[in-house]
Amino acid sequence: MDPVSAIGLASSVVQLVDFGSKLVSAGNELYKKGSLAEHVELQEIGEEFKKLSKNIQNSLKPDYYLPDALNQNAPKQTPEEDALESIAIKCNEIAQEFIDALDQLKSTGGRWKSFGVAIKTVWTKEDINKMQAKLKMYESQLVVHLLVVLKTRQTYDTKAILESQELSENNIVKAIKETQGRITSQITELSQDLEKQSSKDERLLPAILSRGQESKRQDKRQEIINRWQENNSQELAKIADQWSQAADVDKRTSDMLHSLYFPEWEERYTNVTQAYAKTFNWIFERPEESLPWDDFRDWLEKDGGSDKMIYWIAGKPGSGKSTLMRYLSRDKRTKNYLQRWAGGKALLTASCFFWNLGSPMQKSQKGLIQSLLYQLLRQRPDLCEVASPWRWNSYEPGVPRPGPWNTNELLRVFNDVIDRLDSSSKMCFFIDGLDEFEGNEAAHTELIELLIEISELRFGTIKICVSSRPWDVFRISFEQRPCLKLQDLTANDIKTYVKDVLEKDAKFRMFQRNHTTECAELIKSVVHRAAGVFLWVYLVVRSLKEGLQNLDTVRDLQRRLDAIPDDLQKYFSHMMGTLDPFYLREASHLFQVAMKSHETLSLMTCTYVEEESDDFALQAEIKGLSLEEIKATQDRMARRLDICCKGLLEWHAIKYGSDFFAHNVAFMHRTVKEFLQTDEAQVILRSDKSSVNKIDVDKFLCQAYLAQIKSFELGKAKASSFLTLLRRVFDYALALEKRDEEATIELLDELDRTIIYLYRHGKHTARISTPEDHWTNWVAFDDKRIEILPLWRSSFLTLTIQLGFEVYPKEKLDQDPDQIKARDGRPLLDYALGPGMRGPLPRPDVDISDSALEHKPKPNFAVVEYLLERGADPNQAFSGETIWASFLNLLLTQGQNTKGPDYKLYEVTELLIKHGAAKEIVLSKEKGCQTLKSVDVIQRAFGSERARRLQSKFQGQPLNDGLRPRPIEEQSQPVEVPPELTIERPQPTPSPEPTSRRWKFFRFSRHS
């Protein structure tokens, strides 16, 4: 075992041991929120053990940490390495013991103040003592065996590995390095004693084996280790504690980074065309007099005034802006020149590539700040703890995990991180496609203000390179700053590209020999007519290559070129005219779906455009597809896409994609979508009478994702794929409900029927047999374990209420109105008032709809009104508190972050009061908790004037303090700032740098 693998394995084991040790300590207070919250937290603890156990299993794989070349040359494992693996396996068994105990606890439904108390209901005192002793013993043994392994494996250059860039920020590695320096002589002595024993054993091995005394051989080695442990017990305890703390920091850091990561931030970058060889080198050279631009290299290297910290790359559509930005963000010369600017400070870089055709996170302010923050903290993981202390603390064992980040929190944390980096680092951000940012001119103006504000947060610390089309909104803000116009500077690059690509064809090289002048004129004509638009060049060269394959002459190639319009829009029209009429209906449907889809399409989803029936998903049978069948279907569709759409729609392999989401489909360029939205394109697409009636995109995509769920094979396809498909069915069903109520009800009923079938026939879910076991009560969906959460008595009806459906719940309740008043489990009104108020939703419901993007529980106003008018009681109790009290907690903790017409919190509060909500309920009486009455909460949430209007609607109801809502401190997502979010930080004496700007986004002075 090499040192890297040993360290990785040790880190995984230390994290598991630390997690288990903390849980069996009776002082870890967990459950104060009632049996429901207890159950959810037990589930989270179980999931954490599974994750830690999986990390150990991965670490035991021989090539998990080490490159193949080293694995192939690795020597045979030593006894200490075998012992290290043995400890890992035993710790894995401990994890399973905890998981089994948690399963028993969840079935009891009890209430406890700590896990230490809870575990006593399934383990005896002797069991607990044994577990604590085992954990302590394995921790001590781990330290000894790892240090010996690192000492004896000198052939791998342990020191170099420990100091490698890859591991330099790993806290467990830092702790191990410090330990080695502290007890070098002791470890050397132990290693020598073990080596002597090994040499002696080797000499006596034949005799030992012949007598069957192999166990005695092992016992002697263990005696040496035990004796050493006894002599160094105090030091070992200190080391174990140090390693435990380091592993805890590493785990929390990993959790923090994971909470910020979203895969889409890399997707657009990956799909941007790479710069062709030998192009764009001019950007690092000094500007030419004939083609002036602001010296980019000079901008990278030197400080400038406050108006010089942003560099604007402007360019016409298709001129290669994104390609250049990708090139700049990764080229070594960029960082080399920036380092000269940074001087002795650390240089941090980050990038964001907006994409108007992508998901909301790829074209929003939240996506920008979250991606930049993730990249900064990945380079400076030591700042994770101070960046968001409450999130850091939430990664304690048993503490409920916080929800997704919201934009206000991201801005605040981003500002704090910049504050802390100011004295030690300099930063440069590359932000591509400002014109791809979603919204109108006002939204783009706000984005510009944000970027300018970021560049001025700490003057001289942050540079930003941006790119966009030369729209007025960007030109007005950026043209007086350093900039260039890309289309004016790429003529030589275009010539290089055209010449190189065509000369790769043997026939063109022959033409050059026999028709030198004509070939040179052909290339010159392409460069001249391109006017700096690389996309046009790409399309033209593709047409010329097709001509070469068709044995065109030089004259034919020139005629091809002459027939191509100079303007991109006209060229697209020309391409549309070449579509095969036989495939026009299919092409039309593909274009419409791609234009109106809420997210990037998958190749698998596109396969359903060939379906003739409008109700293809309803008619499809539930039959799992194997991975081989999925791949074959996608391969066929990839070819079909090329035939139908002539390259205007392209498919790409997804970096981490698999099964249903192995490939995505997108327009070749944003300009294609813009062309297809013109009247001219619509006329072409409707020239086939069969396509006159537009496809209902919402209905089609709802059915396409439902059909894929019907094709889902449990245990084979990835669980994440199932959740994505489920989320998208709901997403499009919500849109469809507004136009076609009947179709929505049919599709949702079929979805429920399908998943019930999948769960009842799945390997790990076959025990579902009663309504109480409905799949919405299950909190995991993976290949190994699925856990049930029966306390809410959730159903498909409650799920649709949570997700914001209106017609479907009303239809079902009209059929069965008794559920409104007499229902076991969580009341329907409580579901309608706030999906996440009482704990996390079952896994399949997480981030189901766009409304979950900011993770703000939003009342379903229409259903709340419907339920109250039919007798629902806001004072009904459930799980230790009333529905009204739970809603007040929502106002208290979320009210300031849920303003806006969609939330209707004021209107909902008015409805609840009108239907009898208690006037004087007390939120908390416990020591150390703030005591608030309902009227206090209403005033804090809505202000004095609106609160008075609401209070006048109460009917003189008596004080109700018999049911206790959760105190503020116990909310699953603590609030970092007071409700009055507009409070400014105190400002110290300003520096000479002027501070006249009013800070719109960060609400702080740059010198705060």
Side-chain angles (χ1 to χ4, degrees), residues 751-786:
L751 173 66
D752 187 30
R753 185 187 75 84
T754 299
I755 301 180
I756 288 173
Y757 178 91
L758 291 175
Y759 270 69
R760 287 182 177 171
H761 293 80
K763 179 179 177 182
H764 304 288
T765 53
R767 63 189 176 97
I768 296 180
S769 58
T770 67
E772 289 74 21
D773 288 341
H774 190 270
W775 60 271
T776 51
N777 291 289
W778 290 56
V779 293
F781 192 103
D782 56 34
D783 302 341
K784 295 181 180 180
R785 297 181 64 86
I786 300 182

Side-chain angles (χ1 to χ4, degrees), residues 287-299:
E288 301 174 10
E289 291 185 8
S290 59
L291 291 172
W293 72 89
D294 289 311
D295 193 324
F296 185 73
R297 174 177 165 180
D298 195 59
W299 179 80

Side-chain angles (χ1 to χ4, degrees), residues 97-162:
E97 288 185 52
F98 272 103
I99 292 169
D100 293 341
L102 290 163
D103 288 341
Q104 294 183 55
L105 280 173
K106 282 181 284 188
S107 66
T108 65
R111 302 179 66 174
W112 310 279
K113 289 190 175 181
S114 75
F115 184 85
V117 174
I119 201 68
K120 292 177 182 178
T121 64
V122 291
W123 283 350
T124 66
K125 184 177 181 180
E126 184 180 357
D127 292 332
I128 295 173
N129 290 337
K130 284 182 179 179
M131 178 61 73
Q132 289 176 321
K134 279 197 292 185
L135 289 168
K136 186 175 181 180
M137 178 182 67
Y138 291 152
E139 189 174 46
S140 178
Q141 291 180 357
L142 176 75
V143 171
V144 176
H145 290 299
L146 178 61
L147 291 174
V148 173
V149 167
L150 296 179
K151 178 67 179 177
T152 55
R153 284 301 194 196
Q154 297 297 333
T155 54
Y156 283 91
D157 192 358
T158 301
K159 183 178 179 181
I161 290 174
L162 289 174

Side-chain angles (χ1 to χ4, degrees), residues 547-564:
L548 289 168
Q549 292 174 359
N550 295 340
L551 304 180
D552 283 3
T553 65
V554 174
R555 184 175 297 177
D556 293 332
L557 294 177
Q558 187 62 55
R559 285 173 47 226
R560 268 182 179 270
L561 179 59
D562 293 341
I564 295 174

Side-chain angles (χ1 to χ4, degrees), residues 416-435:
D416 289 343
V417 168
I418 297 299
D419 274 351
R420 295 179 183 279
L421 290 171
D422 180 38
S423 61
S424 62
S425 307
K426 291 202 173 186
M427 289 152 275
C428 186
F429 303 143
F430 295 87
I431 302 173
D432 174 57
L434 302 188
D435 52 290

Side-chain angles (χ1 to χ4, degrees), residues 447-458:
L447 173 63
I448 292 167
E449 292 174 352
L450 171 64
L451 295 175
I452 292 174
E453 194 166 320
I454 289 174
S455 72
E456 296 178 1
L457 276 175
R458 291 292 177 271

Side-chain angles (χ1 to χ4, degrees), residues 361-375:
M361 288 293 283
Q362 292 173 298
K363 50 188 173 183
S364 65
Q365 183 187 110
K366 180 185 179 186
L368 167 66
I369 299 300
Q370 188 163 325
S371 65
L372 294 180
L373 183 58
Y374 168 76
Q375 293 170 76

